[in-house]
Amino acid sequence: MDRRNEAAQSREGLLRSYERGERAPMRKSLENAYRSESESDIDATEFLDRDPLNEQSQPTVEAYGPSKQLASIRRSFARRSKCLCTILTILIIFWSILAGGGFFLYKKAPKDGLSPPWYPTPPGGTSSKWQDSYKKAQALVEKMTLAEKVNITTGTGWQMGLAVGNTGPAIHVGFPGLALQDGPLGLRFADNATAFPAGITVGATWNKELMYLRGKAHGMEARLKGVNVLLGPCVGPLGRMPAGGRNWEGFGADPVLQGIAGAQTIKGIQEEGIIATIKHFVGNEQEHFRQSWEWGLPYAISSNIDDRTLHEMYGWPFGDAVKAGVGSVMCSYQMVNNSYSCGNSKLLNGILKDELGFQGFVQSDWLAQRSGVASALSGLDMSMPGDGLMWARGQSLWGPELSKAVLNGSLPVSRLNDMATRVVAAWYQMGQDDKSKFDGKGPNFSSWTNDEMGVINPGSPDDHDQKVVNKFINVQGSGDQAHSIIARAVATEGIVLLKNEGILPLSKDGWPTNENHEINMRVGIFGEDSGAGRGPNVCPDRGCNQGTLGSGWGSGAVEFPYLITPADALRQAFNKERVYVTDFPTNDPPFKTAPIILKDQDVCIVFVNADSGEGYMAFDGIRGDRNDLLTQKGGEGLIVKVASGCGDGEGSTIVVIHSVGPVTVEGWVDLPGVKAVVMANLPGQESGHAIADILLGIVNPSGKLPYTIGRSLDDYGPGAKIQYYPNGAIPQQNFSEGLYIDYRHFDKYGIDPRYEFGFGLSYTSFEYSNLVVTEVLPKSALPAARPSGIDPPQYDDKIPDVNEAILPSGFKKLKKFVYPYISKTSDIKKGTYPYPKGYDIKQTPSEAGGDEGGNPDLWTTYATVSMDIKNTGSVIGKEVIQLYLGFDKVEGEAKEIDFPRSVLRQFEKVEVKIDEKQTVHFDLTRRDLSYWDVVRQNWVMPTEGSITIKVGASSRNMKLTGWY
Ligand code: BGC
């Protein structure tokens, strides 16, 4: 079977089995994926009715004669039914316990959740920045029939269309179906496209220009492949839990780093005319229990987040994304405060659309929509992939049901008009009506097969129409426009040098003192992570850790067009006449039988890694979230062996880590042989080039940690631990540590991290001086009054004629495909339908709102900061200057507020030549200088006392201090 299809089907299959409450098959099926074909062909039921005693010499059926034959069938049947009975009994007991306990705990969960109601949905079209697009959108939507409006807001179903998400068109008005494709790292399931470094690597560069350029190249590839909507960037998870399975898709464990990186990426993607999707809104911090049924429970976990934490931490980067004009937001799988994110009116209507003034459309994560009318009323605009509560059954919660809801009056027509207008406006806003850039023909590749020919809707058993589905268009750019240049730059700048006892950089010619041209250095490369393994694409959705690690697994992963391995690149990079390189791409080199391979080296480079991914896949006992923070596959043991034996104890060991997030290094970092440690994050296709450039000093390292490396998982605090077991039918996870995650937690409790957030060494040194803080405006507590914005489009909100949604005569439906049509007029039962509790409460628009990203005054500059940076070393280098705020010197009412010791607010990366001095500027906005006041429900700037401005090289290495 095609690998891509395998990924899709394994997911679908796994999810279906979970829907039936079966937990084990997931592992089984994943294990099978890595066994030989003949092995995985064995049907599990074969084991159930095989009697080992008779196994040896089973006579043929003929030998028994008819009665024996019958007896044998009966016996086998009896055995089988005995087995079935046992299994059934176990299942019943299991479910009774679960349901009983679940019922008890369910009762304990607040009936209506803890999330207050916020209705109705604020309509889009209130920002002048979107005015033209909304005008054009209105002109189009006005002409659409009911069925067309529903069609563009509902996905066609899983594997119905070539992309991972597809909407229907509004043919009569010329609006195309949209193709939505993952993901944050590159184009998922696509050929001839770039495998960029992961978000976490991008975060580690702290380079705004590279963030933007990667987004732009990604957007261009999407456009050339016929995609309309990219399902990235990802800023949630934020990184509350260092072992969280998908942290690597985002940019690091801090809202400001995530926000700036997300906004830069969006800018790049959308400049190419592609609608970016910021995801997952909000609080999807762990994979365990993220989704109904996936983990055997009927409900997803609830992330319980208080108002201030939501604003200052988890919601913050989404605010930046909206401010950057993002066209789409994906709501997350799990609940927030006991209400599903995709049906949470406070989150979608209140915070996102009112307070943050979001003008685009909200799409559900795949099957994160858990209700029909209720989710539409709560602010969901697009159902993805369109299937209902279960995968691939064609039973949408919208589609025909949405048509019915409008016709029977349970969903106001105005809401559907707004949903459709938001979708069309986003399309215009990105310029997708420009025929010279968008031919409207949809994707020129298929997510479901690698073959040239295939069906467009493999999700339907009715589609047998073979077409050219893969045109194999190379979108990677070429020459000096090759996207590999950007991928390599990100991978290189995303490498963080953690420890260097004078060994790095290595010279390509070996030891510098030896002038002769003979071999003068022997380098041994160790570890499976240095080599190709079985190739980068061997497991569906990169769902296994083998060979060198270039990305995590799941929907954020892509097909690698190639992967430059560290071993290959290093071999190339050293001067062969002077440096002898040997590589052992295994975690178990034959040290015992051939001790020479270790003894004989001058320098040993050990590659180790740690992998994780999305929760629908598991590998090596890791079900999405990691089980610990250690390096995996025996990495620690390998380091210890190499470090103690390299050059018979005289050699220097360099450890390189490829990882999805922080790894603890306590087991080996202080070993005398370990002379250097390099965190190379997840580098994508250019892995080897990047590491060779850093190790050989071709590029001076300038990456900084986008998270803290603690000494143990415990150091991160209780809130940082994955909840691996449910504590109720609706597992509850309280974010009680509030603002104190990662470095904020370490600072608050005085815990000494091994390597702090923002830390990273260079081959040169920098001097910080001359901090100047200039007041631009005097402090004032509250932002200016909320501006009224412009009027949204007005429609005739009359319930349309039922014929607008009746299935056209002669229309041939594909099985399981989601259409907007209803079959007969009598399907519409008019009456009074209950609206959600709190629907009638009149909401006052938030004073923190008023335009995209919130009240425009939040973005007014109140102070500027400048400082000088000088390169005092002997090589050119880049430095990341980080600006943190402290609120320890505030007076008055703000003194009563609890503030973290330092919070990152700005950063700049500059390249400085030897002896050169540069001046760096920062603007501090009202939002930067404020905290979220839960009583006033607004951003409040402390006006008494002063706000401390700390500028430094990491969260623990402040060089200059000033006050505003
Ligand atoms: C993931 C999303 C992704 C979607 C489509 C979901 O499982 O959570 O991030 O965009 O699938 O592939």
Side-chain angles (χ1 to χ4, degrees), residues 185-187 193-197 221 476 487 558-562 683-686:
L185 266 76
L187 276 185
T194 308
F196 290 101
E221 296 197 358
Q476 299 164 92
V558 297
E559 308 296 306
F560 280 70
Y562 61 84
Q685 66 185 32
E686 288 289 325

Side-chain angles (χ1 to χ4, degrees), residues 565-586:
T565 67
D568 282 352
L570 284 166
R571 275 179 176 283
Q572 285 289 323
F574 282 109
N575 176 353
K576 285 174 201 53
E577 290 180 2
R578 295 171 56 102
V579 180
Y580 188 73
V581 181
T582 333
D583 64 299
F584 307 92
T586 162

Side-chain angles (χ1 to χ4, degrees), residues 32-203:
N32 280 347
Y34 310 117
R35 285 211 227 125
S36 76
E37 262 177 30
S38 55
E39 249 184 296
S40 59
D41 280 342
I42 298 170
D43 181 345
T45 55
E46 281 183 56
F47 294 109
L48 294 180
D49 49 10
R50 211 179 272 172
D51 184 341
L53 293 176
N54 291 336
E55 192 82 319
Q56 302 280 311
S57 57
Q58 281 218 350
T60 59
V61 168
E62 284 84 353
Y64 278 110
S67 57
K68 284 193 177 165
Q69 197 178 329
L70 271 179
S72 142
I73 292 172
R74 262 201 308 273
R75 261 204 311 276
S76 133
F77 192 76
R79 274 201 302 272
R80 193 185 280 231
S81 57
K82 222 168 154 186
C83 251
L84 281 175
C85 280
T86 320
I87 291 171
L88 266 176
T89 318
I90 293 170
L91 275 179
I92 289 168
I93 295 172
F94 173 72
W95 274 104
S96 314
I97 294 170
L98 198 78
F103 181 74
F104 172 71
L105 288 156
Y106 180 74
K107 280 276 159 196
K108 272 177 62 181
K111 188 164 158 283
D112 298 311
L114 295 166
S115 196
W118 209 109
Y119 298 100
T121 303
T126 51
S127 166
S128 54
K129 292 172 216 146
W130 285 64
Q131 193 166 15
D132 289 349
S133 303
Y134 265 89
K135 270 200 188 130
K136 291 186 208 158
Q138 178 173 12
L140 217 65
V141 172
E142 259 163 0
K143 288 188 250 154
M144 288 184 190
T145 62
L146 170 60
E148 285 178 326
K149 291 177 195 172
V150 168
N151 218 24
I152 69 167
T153 57
T154 306
T156 50
W158 182 236
Q159 296 196 308
M160 301 296 188
L162 297 173
V164 295
N166 306 274
T167 53
I171 291 173
H172 301 110
V173 299
F175 188 75
L178 301 183
L180 294 80
Q181 193 74 3
D182 289 296
L185 266 76
L187 276 185
R188 183 181 183 201
F189 294 148
D191 59 275
N192 290 300
T194 308
F196 290 101
I200 201 69
T201 318
V202 179

Side-chain angles (χ1 to χ4, degrees), residues 835-906:
Y835 273 62
K837 213 166 146 190
Y839 194 83
D840 299 336
I841 301 171
K842 175 130 186 53
Q843 298 293 341
T844 323
S846 166
E847 275 303 307
D851 204 350
E852 268 187 308
N855 189 325
D857 193 23
L858 292 172
W859 307 89
T860 306
T861 299
Y862 275 72
T864 59
V865 178
S866 71
M867 51 79 62
D868 294 341
I869 181 98
K870 186 177 176 194
N871 184 341
T872 50
S874 53
V875 276
I876 185 170
K878 290 186 182 173
E879 174 68 325
V880 179
I881 298 130
Q882 302 162 39
L883 186 153
Y884 295 82
L885 295 186
F887 292 83
D888 47 321
K889 295 225 167 347
V890 294
E891 297 289 339
E893 59 179 23
K895 214 174 159 51
E896 307 303 312
I897 309 286
D898 182 32
F899 290 106
R901 189 168 89 190
S902 310
V903 290
L904 180 75
R905 280 294 185 258
Q906 299 281 340

Side-chain angles (χ1 to χ4, degrees), residues 11 158 164 182 188 231 246 249 279-280 290 330 333 365-366 555 614 616:
R11 171 179 182 140
W158 182 236
V164 295
D182 289 296
R188 183 181 183 201
L231 305 176
R246 296 183 77 180
E249 292 184 45
K279 67 187 189 183
H280 308 84
R290 64 170 185 161
M330 186 189 288
Y333 276 125
D365 197 344
W366 271 229
S555 61
E614 196 173 338
Y616 66 86

Side-chain angles (χ1 to χ4, degrees), residues 750-923:
I751 301 165
D752 187 25
R754 174 55 76 163
Y755 300 115
E756 73 272 14
F757 176 83
F759 173 82
L761 299 170
S762 165
Y763 296 151
T764 189
S765 50
F766 297 98
E767 188 183 273
Y768 287 61
S769 65
N770 198 21
L771 183 82
V772 181
V773 179
T774 311
E775 178 180 300
V776 177
L777 289 168
K779 286 186 200 140
S780 73
L782 290 165
R786 171 183 172 133
S788 51
I790 58 170
D791 287 336
Q794 296 292 321
Y795 293 94
D796 173 4
D797 288 332
K798 206 169 92 241
I799 294 185
D801 190 299
V802 67
N803 287 316
E804 286 193 21
I806 292 281
L807 181 74
S809 67
F811 187 94
K812 194 172 167 303
K813 278 188 178 178
L814 283 180
K815 237 184 241 146
K816 292 187 176 183
F817 195 99
V818 177
Y819 297 97
Y821 304 118
I822 53 173
S823 8
K824 44 188 189 320
T825 318
S826 57
D827 282 351
I828 308 307
K829 311 238 173 329
K830 290 223 166 122
T832 40
Y833 291 92
Y835 273 62
K837 213 166 146 190
Y839 194 83
D840 299 336
I841 301 171
K842 175 130 186 53
Q843 298 293 341
T844 323
S846 166
E847 275 303 307
D851 204 350
E852 268 187 308
N855 189 325
D857 193 23
L858 292 172
W859 307 89
T860 306
T861 299
Y862 275 72
T864 59
V865 178
S866 71
M867 51 79 62
D868 294 341
I869 181 98
K870 186 177 176 194
N871 184 341
T872 50
S874 53
V875 276
I876 185 170
K878 290 186 182 173
E879 174 68 325
V880 179
I881 298 130
Q882 302 162 39
L883 186 153
Y884 295 82
L885 295 186
F887 292 83
D888 47 321
K889 295 225 167 347
V890 294
E891 297 289 339
E893 59 179 23
K895 214 174 159 51
E896 307 303 312
I897 309 286
D898 182 32
F899 290 106
R901 189 168 89 190
S902 310
V903 290
L904 180 75
R905 280 294 185 258
Q906 299 281 340
F907 59 87
E908 284 301 337
K909 188 169 201 175
V910 287
E911 184 169 58
V912 199
K913 299 194 191 87
I914 305 164
D915 282 338
E916 190 197 356
K917 189 190 262 188
Q918 282 187 29
T919 305
V920 179
H921 298 272
F922 299 97
D923 288 339

